[in-house]
Amino acid sequence: MKRELTKILNLPGIIVKSKKEIEKTLILEVEASSNTACCPGCQKVSNRLHQNHWHLVKDMAWAEKEVFLRVNRRQFKCDYCLKPFSEELSFVKKRQKYTKRYARLVTEEVINSNLLNVAKRHNLTEEEVDRSRDVKSRACGQLDSRVESMINQVSREIFPISLKNLKRLGIDEITLVKGQGKFIIVLVDLDTGKLIGLIPERKAKTLEKYLTSWEEDILNQIEEVIRSPDLKSGEARMTRFPSKYGYV
């Protein structure tokens, strides 16, 4: 059963130790399959387990069941520099309350819907989906500042994906909450329909910086750029882009 659950979970290098079901919620206890970890200080491999640290993170649902992972982020003691350190887990950041793939799923749903509907569907607050909406509350300590916006996390860490075959670029902007002026810019490969980039603010300079950070070969291979009507005027106008790339 554990082997089958590990296969279904499909997180490389992670095994399921046990499971618990509470009504429509499934809790899986998981940890890394390797018994070693690399010290971030001296880069030496250690197998000297120091402590276990368990915490809950939310993952993608299975059928109708809400899924939480009880993750053991183990702490090791380095035999070389003699310092304790926590292992790195590729599927979830330290102190994060959701997996990276769950953050991406929610972000993609927001792009195709809106913040409020997606938050309700996933039983999240709007602030958990887009932490940038309530800066005042965060400053007052009402929100956990360590928990980053899902949208910001996806835009910084997961995107862009491979761009080697990008020929036709679509640039669009969507509103997260109607009537509140909160927009993000979305970049799409028009030939595959895949989301390839996400910019969590509606500013031309930010968009320019993002695109010009791509390699020269990527920019030169783009044959067509299609923009939404809203991006042709107003604050997101891209008149400062190099004309040779067709962004003007």
Side-chain angles (χ1 to χ4, degrees), residues 43-62:
Q43 303 302 312
K44 300 292 185 180
V45 175
S46 174
N47 62 357
R48 187 178 172 187
L49 182 63
H50 183 58
Q51 288 181 342
N52 291 312
H53 290 289
W54 298 92
H55 64 286
L56 278 178
V57 299
K58 194 166 186 178
D59 194 30
M60 297 165 60
W62 292 11

Side-chain angles (χ1 to χ4, degrees), residues 53-229:
H53 290 289
W54 298 92
H55 64 286
L56 278 178
V57 299
K58 194 166 186 178
D59 194 30
M60 297 165 60
W62 292 11
E64 298 298 320
K65 289 187 179 294
E66 189 176 35
V67 175
F68 286 88
L69 305 181
R70 186 169 182 260
V71 180
N72 183 14
R73 189 184 293 272
R74 300 168 299 180
Q75 190 176 71
F76 290 79
K77 189 76 173 287
C78 182
D79 291 325
Y80 293 87
C81 63
L82 302 179
K83 295 180 180 180
F85 65 92
S86 296
E87 65 183 334
E88 293 292 335
L89 299 173
S90 62
F91 68 97
V92 60
K93 289 183 62 178
K94 291 179 181 179
R95 297 181 293 275
Q96 195 63 276
K97 296 181 179 179
Y98 41 79
T99 62
K100 291 181 180 180
R101 66 184 184 183
Y102 179 69
R104 177 164 181 162
L105 171 69
V106 171
T107 299
E108 290 179 343
E109 288 187 8
V110 170
I111 291 170
N112 293 304
S113 179
N114 63 70
L115 184 64
L116 182 58
N117 288 342
V118 174
K120 287 181 178 179
R121 183 159 60 248
H122 288 272
N123 195 27
L124 300 167
T125 66
E126 292 178 53
E127 287 77 17
E128 285 177 304
V129 179
D130 179 21
R131 188 68 59 180
S132 63
R133 289 186 63 242
D134 200 339
V135 177
K136 182 178 179 180
S137 294
R138 184 193 301 179
C140 294
Q142 297 175 14
L143 298 175
D144 186 352
S145 61
R146 295 175 303 176
V147 181
E148 298 176 350
S149 160
M150 287 185 180
I151 292 173
N152 288 337
Q153 177 189 326
V154 170
S155 65
R156 284 197 302 269
E157 297 183 6
I158 299 178
F159 297 114
I161 59 175
S162 175
L163 302 173
K164 63 180 181 180
N165 296 318
L166 178 63
K167 301 294 183 183
R168 300 171 64 240
L169 173 64
I171 304 176
D172 198 1
E173 66 176 27
I174 65 166
T175 177
L176 295 179
V177 184
K178 292 182 178 180
Q180 294 190 17
K182 178 63 179 178
F183 294 88
I184 60 175
I185 295 177
V186 178
L187 308 179
V188 178
D189 184 332
L190 295 175
D191 292 313
T192 65
K194 290 183 178 180
L195 187 64
I196 59 173
L198 191 62
I199 303 172
E201 60 179 350
R202 186 194 185 194
K203 293 183 179 179
K205 288 184 178 180
T206 305
L207 174 59
E208 178 178 354
K209 182 179 179 180
Y210 187 94
L211 290 179
T212 53
S213 70
W214 289 356
E215 295 179 2
E216 189 82 4
D217 291 345
I218 299 296
L219 294 173
N220 287 331
Q221 75 184 16
I222 298 176
E223 300 172 353
E224 183 179 10
V225 177
I226 298 179
R227 302 171 294 179
S228 70

Side-chain angles (χ1 to χ4, degrees), residues 1-11 16 26 28 59 61-62 101:
M1 176 63 73
K2 294 178 183 178
R3 185 177 298 178
E4 293 177 357
L5 290 173
T6 297
K7 187 175 181 180
I8 295 172
L9 183 62
N10 192 29
L11 287 174
V16 176
L26 178 64
L28 301 176
D59 194 30
W62 292 11
R101 66 184 184 183

Side-chain angles (χ1 to χ4, degrees), residues 21-32:
E21 293 188 51
I22 305 175
E23 296 181 349
K24 292 186 177 182
T25 300
L26 178 64
I27 302 175
L28 301 176
E29 190 172 285
V30 303
E31 69 178 19

